[in-house]
Amino acid sequence: MLNNIIDRIKLPFRKEKELYLSLYQIIGIIPHDISYYKTALLHKSVARRNAKGKPVNNERLEFLGDAILDAIVGDIVYEHFPGKREGFLTNTRSKIVQRDTLNRLAKEMGINQLILSNGHTSSHNSYLGGNAFEALVGALYLDHGYNACMKFMKKQVLGEMINIDKVAYKEVNFKSKLIEWSQKNKVKMEFKLIENQKDKQGSPTFHFQVIMEGLPCGEGHGYSKKESQQEASKLTLQRLRREPQFIDEVFSAKANRTKMEEEPVLNVPETSQDMNFMVASEAKVEKHENPFLTEVFDEKSSAADEEKTGKMESSVEPEAKESTDDFDLSDISHSKPFDREAIIAAAEAEAFEKG
């Protein structure tokens, strides 16, 4: 308390009086060590280095302020809503500390006007104000402690700018927003049920995950399908906004899917029918008698066959008989006695005549 009185007395004589007054209007307390707040308002796009040559910006204070903000808002929500379940408290806290809310607060409270950055970054970075707000909370914690941060949030933020009851019961349909985005961009999306169990009290719990173009996205837990899908949709939207690389992966998977759908199927089956059932299609194969085939007859069949052959020979015309006389096979028949010396003599005589 004494330090605050001393700081007020010194204020008119401060070298950077305007910065002190601006910060006092924002946080409701006069800064003691102005260097913390200067760093909190210094974006990394401005190349600043300390005496050791290391870069100086508000990223470290942003990290600290994020943690302090979660703890303080969680404390406030816990006290404000007695008897409410964890899921309700978590959703309420996330609505207050979400990036869009902090960006709006930074703009309304005049923090954006104090941020030191290059013009290109301030016009293209949508999280510039929200990041600076968190860094400012981190600076306030280092400068005045946890209680000063609690007082700032209760009086300056929740007391004047945010109605905590309206925020808590405001329904933000993240699922419908995600579905609308996916339909506009023609991205295939589904909600996959990962797990359905019961807690220790016997209440059913649901675990859903968003799948976009086959890629796993945000996951959500809740006591109803709606609650778990809402949480999964919210985390997916946050990832799409914060991770450009993830958006590239989604659209790359979409391009591969649409390419496969548009390409013709290879190895299309033929429409011509197999005609092997047609008789004409069968190849005519010449059949040759096997000269070495020996047929075996029994006594009964041979007598009948001789009778048939006799009748067939009688029906043959005389001209046919005369034609068979031209082919007399008696000379090569084995019915004549076999004379080996005569055959050799005849062959020698024939060879002598030709020579």
Side-chain angles (χ1 to χ4, degrees):
M1 187 69 179
L2 181 61
N3 290 333
N4 292 336
I5 296 175
I6 296 174
D7 289 334
R8 287 188 179 184
I9 296 174
K10 291 181 178 180
L11 181 59
F13 306 99
R14 296 285 187 184
K15 183 178 180 180
E16 299 172 316
K17 182 172 62 176
E18 293 183 359
L19 179 59
Y20 276 90
L21 288 174
S22 298
L23 291 173
Y24 175 73
Q25 292 174 355
I26 293 172
I27 61 179
I29 189 171
I30 298 176
H32 180 68
D33 188 347
I34 196 66
S35 63
Y36 290 131
Y37 303 92
K38 285 184 175 181
T39 305
L41 299 171
L42 186 62
H43 189 259
K44 64 180 180 179
S45 61
V46 180
R48 292 283 179 89
R49 295 185 178 276
N50 58 17
K52 296 181 179 180
K54 294 183 179 181
V56 178
N57 54 59
N58 63 359
E59 288 184 339
R60 285 172 52 84
L61 284 174
E62 178 189 341
F63 164 79
L64 178 61
D66 179 54
I68 299 299
L69 201 58
D70 276 347
I72 289 175
V73 175
D75 191 352
I76 294 173
V77 170
Y78 180 84
E79 295 293 336
H80 191 83
F81 297 102
K84 288 294 183 180
R85 284 186 171 183
E86 177 190 359
F88 176 87
L89 300 177
T90 302
N91 289 335
T92 303
R93 181 185 63 183
S94 64
K95 290 175 185 177
I96 296 175
V97 301
Q98 67 180 345
R99 193 62 54 183
D100 292 338
T101 303
L102 299 183
N103 287 339
R104 181 69 181 271
L105 286 173
K107 181 179 180 181
E108 296 293 331
M109 298 176 76
I111 296 176
N112 289 356
Q113 300 175 0
L114 300 178
I115 298 174
L116 184 60
S117 67
N118 59 39
H120 178 78
T121 303
S122 59
S123 61
H124 288 78
N125 191 344
S126 58
Y127 304 133
L128 192 68
N131 295 342
F133 184 94
E134 290 179 338
L136 204 60
V137 172
L140 181 59
Y141 171 76
L142 294 176
D143 191 28
H144 288 283
Y146 183 86
N147 291 333
C149 295
M150 176 68 76
K151 183 180 178 181
F152 163 67
M153 288 299 300
K154 282 185 174 181
K155 185 178 179 180
Q156 303 297 114
V157 178
L158 298 177
E160 297 182 4
M161 307 194 69
I162 293 180
N163 188 322
I164 189 172
D165 294 300
K166 288 184 177 181
V167 170
Y169 294 100
K170 181 182 179 182
E171 183 66 28
V172 180
N173 198 336
F174 297 106
K175 181 179 177 181
S176 63
K177 288 185 176 183
L178 183 61
I179 292 175
E180 182 181 359
W181 181 87
S182 63
Q183 290 176 347
K184 285 183 178 180
N185 293 276
K186 298 180 180 180
V187 173
K188 187 177 180 180
M189 186 199 71
E190 63 176 332
F191 291 90
K192 183 179 179 181
L193 179 62
I194 304 298
E195 196 175 36
N196 182 14
Q197 293 184 344
K198 292 185 177 181
D199 60 7
K200 296 179 180 180
Q201 288 74 31
S203 302
T205 59
F206 298 88
H207 177 194
F208 273 89
Q209 183 180 45
V210 176
I211 306 295
M212 302 185 72
E213 296 294 347
L215 300 175
C217 304
E219 299 183 22
H221 299 78
Y223 289 97
S224 66
K225 292 182 179 179
K226 180 180 179 181
E227 183 181 354
S228 57
Q229 290 179 356
Q230 280 279 6
E231 183 180 354
S233 300
K234 177 185 175 182
L235 294 177
T236 302
L237 287 170
Q238 290 177 348
R239 189 176 178 187
L240 289 170
R241 288 178 61 87
R242 297 178 182 178
E243 302 179 20
Q245 183 180 359
F246 177 64
I247 297 180
D248 294 339
E249 292 177 0
V250 171
F251 281 96
S252 177
K254 173 194 170 185
N256 293 333
R257 174 180 60 83
T258 54
K259 183 179 180 181
M260 291 177 63
E261 292 177 353
E262 294 174 357
E263 287 182 351
V265 180
L266 301 179
N267 300 325
V268 179
E270 296 182 359
T271 56
S272 59
Q273 299 182 11
D274 191 357
M275 307 297 287
N276 58 0
F277 59 89
M278 301 293 294
V279 177
S281 65
E282 295 181 0
K284 294 182 179 180
V285 181
E286 290 189 25
K287 295 182 179 180
H288 301 278
E289 290 187 349
N290 188 348
F292 302 102
L293 182 61
T294 304
E295 296 182 359
V296 180
F297 302 92
D298 57 10
E299 294 179 359
K300 294 181 180 180
S301 62
S302 62
D305 292 340
E306 287 179 359
E307 185 178 352
K308 289 181 181 179
T309 52
K311 291 180 180 180
M312 291 176 64
E313 288 176 356
S314 62
S315 64
V316 178
E317 296 181 1
E319 293 180 359
K321 285 185 177 182
E322 291 177 0
S323 62
T324 56
D325 292 340
D326 296 337
F327 299 96
D328 187 5
L329 302 179
S330 59
D331 293 337
I332 62 173
S333 173
H334 288 285
S335 60
K336 292 184 179 182
F338 181 75
D339 191 350
R340 181 171 178 276
E341 295 181 358
I343 293 174
I344 295 173
E348 290 178 352
E350 185 179 357
F352 180 75
E353 290 178 0
K354 290 181 178 181

